[in-house]
Amino acid sequence: MTNSNPLDLVSFNSNEEECIINSGTRRHTCTDMSPQERANHLFQNKEILAPMVRASSTPLRCLAISYGCGLVYTEEIVDRAITSTERTYNATLQTIDYQKKMESFSSKVQRRMNRNNDPPPIVLRIDPKVERDKLIYQMGTGEANLALPAALMVQKDVDGLDINMGCPKKFSVSGGMGSALLEDLPRACDILSTLRRNTSIPISCKIRLLKDDRSTVDFVTALVKAGANAVAIHGREPGDESQKSAKMDRLVNVVRLLKSSSSSVGVPIIINGDLYTRNEMMNRKQETGADAVMLARPALYNTSIFIKPDAEAEAEAEATVPETRYGFDSELLLSKTRVVQDYLGYALKYHGHVTNIKYVVCEMMTNRRTPTSLTHCMPIQFDGGQTISQVCACKSMESLCKLWDVSMSVSKSSEEVRKGGVGVGGGDLHRYDDEYFLDPKGFLNKQKIMQEVVPPNEADSPPPVHDKNEHDDPPRRLKKLKIDDP
């Protein structure tokens, strides 16, 4: 296995324009465009990293960009989680950090944090140089009056705002967020119109298929009239299990209807769901007439899926290379081992917390939430024979990097990072339990015993970046599991 040095993975041009970072303030390059023109510029013909709870944080976003991803979403962050933060410029990491305010915690939690010397967690970390013109903040919200303050707080640092209208998990739905908005069009439109009137950047939303194609088309049309500048559609209905294939026939028909001359909505439409190969990405985009494609689990399985063929070489090869050349064994793909090594390099660069980094690495090492019809095409093999149990046994970034033969040289000056903390400001807001990967069935059963019984498809996932009661003492272990299942 080749030693991977994170210093080779992340570099900045010291002569880059000063407008990228000016005392921690990020500037957009398309300020002379209308929000719709900017949305067209952002979304059209892009391959996009989907919002994934826990996963779509700075290291994975920047890794995807390094491989050629054109647009990245943050993980879903609830409106009040952002408004309870303080925005700071991190001169050491050259990032913009949204760090949870100490006063947002209960006095009990504050005492414990002070006693353990735990800094408040980082809710959102942005690299303005790498993510410029490529970053969408996905918001979990159910009310316009809560969405607007969060939007106003981040709009200078991101290129667009996306409202999550697709998450079917209990946490979101019970709070009137996620797929609950699919059943409340007036409230969904109120959020969009409020943001459109009061912000200057593109507003988009991510939805799922409704009960029938016409209902889905009518819903999207209403969202656009309310102010949406782009809409991403996941080819599943709320409640559909990820192990079952996406409803591609329905997704194709919906997008075709939205793009037809009689009912064209005139905004970018992004398709999402089971696009596990470059062939599938290209074919589905052409078949539907969609403007862009979005990847979630396929990008976790192998983030190098975003690597594109050289245009000149591709043109020369078209006549002789079969159309299946970019399938599961595409020559463009890097080994899964190399992808994990590259990811750890970015995790070190951005001082990722070891518990969250372990979670993402474990997701890269499993295909258990992949449609069962595809798992035979997706082997889980690594050059050093690493296993999930070995990853879970790691208690520090140092031990994790040693397992994967990744140099720690990028962070030798930071003992805190070596031990697993995020270093320059902030702990980890997520909750994690190794048993989630080591014994998924046993872990689920344990949760059922500990609290109310929830259906497996609602429980089989980690928690969002938001405590249900922000002022309660956060649990030491996972009490409720949740994921946005793009």
Side-chain angles (χ1 to χ4, degrees):
M1 193 181 337
T2 303
N3 187 284
S4 177
N5 188 339
L7 288 177
D8 297 331
L9 304 176
V10 185
S11 61
F12 298 121
N13 182 354
S14 59
N15 296 320
E16 200 167 359
E17 296 180 41
E18 290 184 6
C19 67
I20 295 179
I21 300 180
N22 179 16
S23 299
T25 301
R26 187 170 181 268
R27 286 178 54 185
H28 307 286
T29 58
C30 305
T31 53
D32 57 338
M33 296 182 182
S34 69
Q36 189 57 60
E37 290 172 328
R38 289 169 68 181
N40 295 342
H41 171 77
L42 279 174
F43 289 99
Q44 286 179 345
N45 295 315
K46 295 294 175 60
E47 295 171 3
I48 303 169
L49 179 70
M52 292 178 282
V53 170
R54 274 190 159 276
S56 297
S57 53
T58 323
L60 186 66
R61 297 198 310 264
C62 292
L63 174 66
I65 290 172
S66 76
Y67 289 151
C69 181
L71 194 64
V72 294
Y73 280 55
T74 69
E75 58 184 322
E76 178 198 11
I77 305 176
V78 173
D79 44 29
R80 287 172 292 182
I82 280 291
T83 53
S84 66
T85 65
E86 180 180 5
R87 177 191 183 277
T88 60
Y89 175 58
N90 191 322
T92 302
L93 300 183
Q94 300 184 58
T95 59
I96 295 169
D97 293 350
Y98 286 79
Q99 186 170 22
K100 200 168 177 68
K101 295 177 182 177
M102 182 64 83
E103 56 265 30
S104 67
F105 294 99
S106 67
S107 57
K108 178 182 176 182
V109 174
Q110 290 184 44
R111 288 194 299 272
R112 190 188 70 211
M113 293 172 68
N114 289 330
R115 183 170 60 252
N116 297 335
N117 198 27
D118 292 335
I122 300 292
V123 174
L124 175 62
R125 173 164 283 165
I126 298 168
D127 188 328
K129 291 184 178 180
V130 176
E131 300 184 277
R132 184 189 191 194
D133 292 333
K134 293 181 173 68
L135 182 62
I136 305 294
Y137 159 50
Q138 193 190 58
M139 183 190 305
T141 189
E143 300 293 339
N145 64 329
L146 296 176
L148 183 57
L152 294 175
M153 190 168 180
V154 302
Q155 70 170 340
K156 289 184 179 180
D157 296 323
V158 300
D159 300 290
L161 301 166
D162 184 82
I163 305 303
N164 182 353
M165 298 187 183
C167 180
K169 306 307 178 183
K170 187 175 181 179
F171 172 88
S172 286
V173 174
S174 64
M177 303 179 289
S179 62
L181 292 171
L182 296 179
E183 300 176 0
D184 194 340
L185 181 59
R187 191 157 52 90
C189 290
D190 182 43
I191 293 170
L192 291 172
S193 61
T194 299
L195 294 180
R196 181 68 287 138
R197 290 194 308 269
N198 295 282
T199 62
S200 59
I201 62 177
I203 308 297
S204 61
C205 46
K206 185 172 183 295
I207 71 168
R208 288 189 171 219
L209 295 171
L210 277 68
K211 60 182 179 180
D212 58 68
D213 294 356
R214 177 45 58 185
S215 297
T216 307
V217 170
D218 291 345
F219 191 87
V220 172
T221 302
L223 296 180
V224 173
K225 288 181 179 179
N229 302 117
V231 179
I233 307 174
H234 182 181
R236 290 182 173 86
E237 296 178 42
D240 285 353
E241 295 182 1
S242 60
Q243 292 88 347
K244 295 183 179 179
S245 298
K247 297 173 177 176
M248 278 298 172
D249 290 344
R250 286 198 56 200
L251 183 61
V252 168
N253 189 49
V254 166
V255 178
R256 284 178 173 175
L257 288 171
L258 288 168
K259 289 292 183 179
S260 67
S261 57
S262 60
S263 59
S264 175
V265 290
V267 304
I269 300 295
I270 304 98
I271 56 172
N272 172 221
D274 293 357
L275 305 176
Y276 278 91
T277 68
R278 177 158 293 279
N279 280 338
E280 190 73 5
M281 291 160 58
M282 295 187 299
N283 293 339
R284 292 300 185 182
K285 182 174 181 293
Q286 182 177 21
E287 183 180 10
T288 60
D291 298 279
V293 296
M294 177 181 284
L295 310 180
R297 285 185 302 277
L300 279 178
Y301 177 73
N302 192 327
T303 317
S304 69
I305 191 174
F306 290 112
I307 296 177
K308 300 174 180 63
D310 176 81
E312 185 175 341
E314 175 71 2
E316 294 177 358
E318 278 186 353
T320 57
V321 182
E323 293 183 1
T324 56
R325 60 191 177 278
Y326 300 134
F328 284 100
D329 57 352
S330 169
E331 62 186 18
L332 297 175
L333 294 172
L334 302 178
S335 72
K336 287 176 65 63
T337 302
R338 170 63 187 276
V339 171
V340 172
Q341 290 175 326
D342 288 356
Y343 172 72
L344 290 174
Y346 280 99
L348 290 170
K349 171 65 185 179
Y350 296 111
H351 292 200
H353 195 285
V354 64
T355 57
N356 193 55
I357 302 307
K358 281 170 56 177
Y359 168 82
V360 178
V361 171
C362 286
E363 284 287 7
M364 291 176 168
M365 299 176 71
T366 181
N367 56 19
R368 63 191 175 89
R369 292 208 302 273
T370 300
T372 53
S373 61
L374 298 177
T375 53
H376 71 283
C377 301
M378 303 168 63
I380 304 297
Q381 299 174 344
F382 299 95
D383 296 347
Q386 293 90 343
T387 64
I388 285 179
S389 61
Q390 289 176 323
V391 171
C392 290
C394 295
K395 303 304 180 185
S396 67
M397 284 300 296
E398 188 169 19
S399 60
L400 188 59
C401 288
K402 183 178 180 180
L403 176 64
W404 291 93
D405 197 21
V406 171
S407 170
M408 287 286 295
S409 60
V410 72
S411 297
K412 281 182 178 177
S413 62
S414 177
E415 185 65 19
E416 193 169 358
V417 173
R418 293 172 67 85
K419 292 180 178 179
V422 300
V424 187
D428 185 27
L429 191 64
H430 303 88
R431 296 288 173 261
Y432 174 77
D433 191 322
D434 290 334
E435 292 302 312
Y436 174 64
F437 288 103
L438 294 174
D439 183 15
K441 291 184 179 179
F443 181 77
L444 180 59
N445 289 335
K446 185 191 301 181
Q447 300 310 302
K448 289 180 178 179
I449 294 172
M450 289 173 60
Q451 58 170 18
E452 64 179 1
V453 177
V454 293
N457 68 319
E458 291 188 0
D460 186 21
S461 48
V465 187
H466 177 67
D467 293 322
K468 186 172 182 181
N469 185 338
E470 294 179 37
H471 298 283
D472 282 347
D473 187 355
R476 290 288 188 178
R477 298 169 66 86
L478 281 173
K479 286 190 175 180
K480 184 177 293 185
L481 297 176
K482 171 199 177 289
I483 196 168
D484 181 20
D485 190 18

